[in-house]
Amino acid sequence: MQQQKLKDPAPDTSAGFSLPSYCLKFTDDGLGSRKELQFEAINASKALLVAQEEASNRRAELWCDGRKLCNISHTGAGVWEVSP
């Protein structure tokens, strides 16, 4: 399995707190191989923006600190579907 780490271009850690850790998990689905992308984001909204950018036309699971948040997939109509 391939693992990658993404960096938030401008994380705000000036307040002395660490950002939540997110993981985007892809399965071997015929469109690409199984892989995980680990990154930090200020909140789930920002994490979904990263997921949208990285997932392209693949299905993926979005996790935060070891807890599954949702599944994401891109429909043929150009709409992103987010489901539990």
Side-chain angles (χ1 to χ4, degrees):
M1 172 178 47
Q2 180 183 359
Q3 283 195 344
Q4 293 177 307
K5 287 195 177 208
L6 300 176
K7 285 281 191 189
D8 188 339
D12 181 12
T13 56
S14 60
F17 66 90
S18 61
L19 297 174
S21 296
Y22 290 90
C23 183
L24 195 56
K25 296 182 181 184
F26 298 90
T27 60
D28 187 2
D29 58 5
L31 298 173
S33 60
R34 182 176 177 232
K35 70 177 182 176
E36 292 183 5
L37 296 173
Q38 296 182 3
F39 60 98
E40 294 178 336
I42 192 91
N43 57 33
S45 176
K46 296 287 186 186
L48 281 170
L49 291 175
V50 172
Q52 177 182 354
E53 190 81 17
E54 294 294 326
S56 187
N57 290 326
R58 296 183 67 189
R59 292 182 179 269
E61 295 177 345
L62 181 61
W63 292 69
C64 179
D65 293 329
R67 183 175 59 98
K68 183 178 173 184
L69 298 179
C70 63
N71 294 302
I72 64 166
S73 60
H74 192 253
T75 68
V79 176
W80 282 95
E81 183 177 297
V82 178
S83 61

